[in-house]
Amino acid sequence: MTSTPDAPLTEISGRRLVLKDNIETADLPTTAGSLALADNAPGRDAPIVARLRAARVIILGKANLSEWANIRSSNSISGWSAVGGQTRNPYDPERTPCGSSSGSAVAVATGLAELAIGTETDGSITCPASVNGVVGFKPTVGLVSRTHIVPISHSQDTAGPITTTVEDAARVLTVIAGSDPLDAATAEADARKVDYAAALDADSLRGARIGVLRFLLPSYSPETHEVFERSLEAMREAGAVLVDVNEPPADWRNLGTWELQVLMTELKVDLNAYLASTDPEQVRTRTLADVIAFNTAEPRETELFGQELFLRAEATTGLEDPVYVHARASSLRAAGPEGIDRMMADNGVIALIAPTTSRAWTNDRDDEDNMQGSASRLAAVAGYPHLTVPMGFDRGMPVGLSLMAGKWEDAKVLSLGYAFEQRTRARRAPGER
């Protein structure tokens, strides 16, 4: 069944869901975790919220997030915001919940909600889902509306589901996917979307050629690497043909620099446009420059980390800047046509896999337990689908398996992840062993 706002999907009717607190609802403030937006209640539902309400989902409320979706500072603390405080990882409260969709993932992991919506620019759905032992799906950019969601980057932002099972993620995606006249990126969404739950096939790994991103593996912990190798064996037993991809894309080392330039430039443009759409009586900060001034004057905002990325974004000069234009064209080419697409074509594979990240690291900045490994950048920059599914545990902490493929191949990625999930059943709830 295809979802429309007036054709609810009974499969998720009556299910409990939380929204990341950068997604607008008519009945609650939308703060992005910032005190500057504490009174931001323009009385409108984001289009994806309207779709969820039409599907008769029970929206419990807003979930805490990393403030401003982790884009204020390179030293930001995942899961912390001035509005919501610190979100805790339910498997070990001393370890990070990752971000920025921390609260969404923790709500699902603990059973507070059955379903959640997060948003991702680069890793903000997949990382918290992985380290909190749940399923997270970042759709193709353009499949899901971003209207009335506090933005970072129109090139990379998307909302997506966080759930305990791939089937539930597919059900939620079927509801929220679709074109939105206010979001030009979604022009093709109605033509591209399918019933993602109906497309799931528990036997989809049989005969599937899948590329293993070996060039990423040295950055992961030994324990996660071991869990990943066991997962590969499970996929082989399910009939998959695994092909090692040992070399990164040609411009792999430049990708992070280009991406940051894109995010900084688009953050200023997109956030200024969002702030201009809010009620000036509720939101006195009308521009990024105003937010920077607010943070400077408000000690509760900067007691733990600063706003150097905001300052860098404010210094950018707009979408016509040749530096930005080059960075966006180069990053998109390197991650997409010359990245994921080329690796798949050259190796004759239909998808790519890697560990999502290693175990959650501690919240103590002074110790040496830091983030190890990440599979998010290529799909994030290209705007391609990326799914994480629980695959096991690293020193008692959950770790996920990442699957990604080309643009609009969301159904295939979900189906492969579903087949892996059905075979391994690796998820264990907090406290369950």
Side-chain angles (χ1 to χ4, degrees):
M1 183 187 303
T2 300
S3 79
T4 64
D6 58 354
L9 285 182
T10 57
E11 292 89 341
I12 61 171
S13 295
R15 305 284 293 279
R16 295 171 290 118
L17 179 143
V18 298
L19 297 161
K20 187 176 180 179
D21 189 18
N22 59 351
I23 302 170
E24 289 193 5
T25 61
D27 52 354
L28 292 169
T30 302
T31 73
S34 172
L35 296 171
L37 298 185
D39 297 321
N40 178 32
R44 59 194 183 192
D45 279 342
I48 63 169
V49 174
R51 288 176 175 271
L52 289 164
R53 292 196 198 279
R56 302 178 185 176
V57 174
I58 299 171
I59 298 175
L60 297 180
K62 302 290 186 70
N64 194 26
L65 70 161
S66 309
E67 185 169 318
W68 293 110
N70 261 349
I71 198 64
R72 198 184 87 189
S73 168
S74 55
N75 293 313
S76 61
I77 300 171
S78 283
W80 182 89
S81 74
V83 170
Q86 180 63 56
T87 304
R88 300 288 179 180
N89 188 309
Y91 290 86
D92 182 347
E94 299 305 311
R95 293 184 176 272
T96 184
C98 203
S100 61
S101 305
S102 315
S104 298
V106 170
V108 172
T110 58
L112 174 64
E114 299 165 275
L115 317 167
I117 302 293
T119 65
E120 176 161 328
T121 307
D122 186 341
S124 287
I125 289 174
T126 52
C127 184
S130 176
V131 305
N132 290 287
V134 292
V135 172
F137 186 64
K138 183 199 83 74
T140 293
V141 172
L143 184 60
V144 175
S145 168
R146 290 88 53 85
T147 299
H148 303 329
I149 298 176
V150 182
I152 293 177
S153 160
H154 60 264
S155 292
Q156 295 184 206
D157 288 353
T158 185
I162 298 175
T163 58
T164 57
T165 68
V166 176
E167 185 173 18
D168 275 347
R171 288 169 172 167
V172 173
L173 182 63
T174 306
V175 170
I176 64 174
S179 299
D180 167 18
L182 297 179
D183 184 353
T186 66
E188 291 185 58
D190 279 347
R192 297 285 186 171
K193 69 178 183 178
V194 300
D195 184 333
Y196 294 97
L200 298 177
D201 179 1
D203 200 36
S204 60
L205 286 171
R206 186 169 305 281
R209 288 177 57 88
I210 297 173
V212 180
L213 299 181
R214 290 282 175 190
F215 65 86
L216 289 178
L217 294 184
S219 61
Y220 294 85
S221 72
E223 294 87 351
T224 290
H225 197 161
E226 181 180 344
V227 174
F228 182 60
E229 294 297 335
R230 291 199 298 269
S231 298
L232 297 181
E233 186 56 35
M235 296 179 85
R236 290 188 189 96
E237 291 173 355
V241 178
L242 302 182
V243 180
D244 287 345
V245 180
N246 295 309
E247 296 298 325
D251 284 318
W252 173 248
R253 295 187 183 279
N254 297 319
L255 193 55
T257 300
W258 288 330
E259 180 188 23
L260 184 59
Q261 181 65 48
V262 170
L263 299 189
M264 292 296 92
T265 303
E266 294 186 1
L267 171 63
K268 181 179 179 180
V269 173
D270 296 349
L271 185 57
N272 283 351
Y274 173 80
L275 292 171
S277 79
T278 62
D279 183 340
E281 295 300 314
Q282 298 173 347
V283 181
R284 303 300 175 88
T285 51
R286 309 305 296 162
T287 64
L288 175 59
D290 291 344
V291 174
I292 291 170
F294 176 92
N295 292 338
T296 300
E298 174 50 77
R300 289 176 293 175
E301 284 290 352
T302 55
E303 61 180 336
L304 296 178
F305 53 88
Q307 54 180 338
E308 68 274 9
L309 291 183
F310 270 10
L311 293 168
R312 180 169 175 175
E314 178 59 26
T316 60
T317 58
L319 303 181
E320 302 302 317
D321 180 357
V323 175
Y324 162 77
V325 172
H326 175 265
R328 179 52 187 155
S330 299
S331 64
L332 182 60
R333 183 194 70 248
E338 298 297 325
I340 290 174
D341 295 338
R342 180 173 289 276
M343 287 188 292
M344 289 173 58
D346 287 353
N347 292 280
V349 299
I350 65 168
L352 301 170
I353 57 173
T356 306
T357 188
S358 300
R359 64 182 176 273
W361 54 101
T362 69
N363 290 320
D364 185 347
R365 291 180 171 176
D366 296 324
D367 68 21
E368 296 181 354
D369 191 345
N370 299 311
M371 184 177 186
Q372 298 180 72
S374 173
S376 67
R377 176 165 287 159
L378 282 167
V381 175
Y384 291 178
H386 178 186
L387 173 70
T388 183
V389 182
M391 68 172 180
F393 291 83
D394 174 340
R395 298 189 188 180
M397 300 301 295
V399 287
L401 175 79
S402 280
L403 301 98
M404 61 202 82
K407 188 173 184 179
W408 306 119
E409 295 187 319
D410 303 71
K412 178 175 67 179
V413 171
L414 285 163
S415 188
L416 292 171
Y418 176 72
F420 173 79
E421 172 196 60
Q422 295 304 299
R423 186 166 189 89
T424 59
R425 306 280 185 175
R427 181 177 187 266
R428 298 290 182 271
E432 179 185 337
R433 288 291 185 270

